Amino acid sequence: ADVAGGTEHEASASDSADSASDTDTKSPPTACSSSCTSSCVARTTSSLKDAVRTALSQLLEERKTSHDDISQDVYRAIRDEAQLLLERQKIADCLDSDPFGLMKYESAGDDTVNNKATVERVKNMLSVVSCTRTTTLDGHSSIRAVVQLSNDGKMKGVDG
């Protein structure tokens, strides 16, 4: 496969079978260009999954040997924390995309209020404590989440 700027792309028809098999030994792709094909995306996903499995296996072994944890408990904790991190990322992405235009810059006389800095501050303080998503048979959805804003030292009138 061709490697350009650290990005791995689908092998062309003129590449030999030997060079195509060398892709497993190269460093994982860092970014895909607009010309990247589904094959490149599949390799990137496979590489990501391999890296995640390696990290999880190492964590599991460390927890089993030094803390006497049970494998299923470790995997449940990983799943639960990963889900909360995913929900946090979804909130951050929504704040970034601002679908309702709530965080646009506003003019306050001669001063311009920079809401982007406020959004970044909120994203840095944000954590999801719990989240439940439910969909009924008739298509209605419900998302119930408990989010927390940690005190960044700039809050006024907040203890702790």
Side-chain angles (χ1 to χ4, degrees):
D2 296 328
V3 177
T7 304
E8 192 172 45
H9 294 278
E10 183 179 29
S12 67
S14 63
D15 287 343
S16 69
D18 292 337
S19 66
S21 66
D22 291 341
T23 57
D24 294 338
T25 61
K26 294 179 182 171
S27 63
T30 56
C32 291
S33 68
S34 60
S35 65
C36 189
T37 64
S38 60
S39 175
C40 180
V41 172
R43 273 195 303 268
T44 301
T45 302
S46 176
S47 173
L48 175 61
K49 286 182 180 182
D50 290 344
V52 168
R53 286 178 188 217
T54 300
L56 293 178
S57 295
Q58 291 171 350
L59 175 64
L60 177 63
E61 286 308 311
E62 187 269 327
R63 293 297 305 186
K64 284 171 51 178
T65 57
S66 64
H67 299 284
D68 294 327
D69 289 336
I70 298 170
S71 298
Q72 289 184 13
D73 290 341
V74 173
Y75 285 133
R76 278 189 202 103
I78 292 168
R79 177 201 60 207
D80 295 345
E81 287 303 310
Q83 187 61 41
L84 294 176
L85 290 171
L86 177 61
E87 293 296 338
R88 181 191 181 283
Q89 187 61 48
K90 287 178 182 179
I91 293 170
D93 290 347
C94 188
L95 287 171
D96 286 338
S97 69
D98 193 17
F100 299 108
L102 300 173
M103 302 310 290
K104 294 196 183 300
Y105 292 91
E106 298 175 6
S107 177
D110 292 337
D111 298 328
T112 301
V113 178
N114 188 347
N115 289 332
K116 187 173 184 176
T118 302
V119 170
E120 288 302 316
R121 180 176 170 224
V122 168
K123 288 180 356 185
N124 288 331
M125 296 185 314
L126 181 74
S127 63
V128 177
V129 177
S130 67
C131 184
T132 305
R133 292 175 176 262
T134 307
T135 304
T136 63
L137 292 175
D138 58 352
H140 295 286
S141 296
S142 171
I143 302 171
R144 299 177 195 269
V146 176
V147 297
Q148 174 181 324
L149 296 175
S150 58
N151 190 344
D152 66 350
K154 297 179 184 177
M155 293 181 172
K156 296 179 182 168
V158 178
D159 294 331

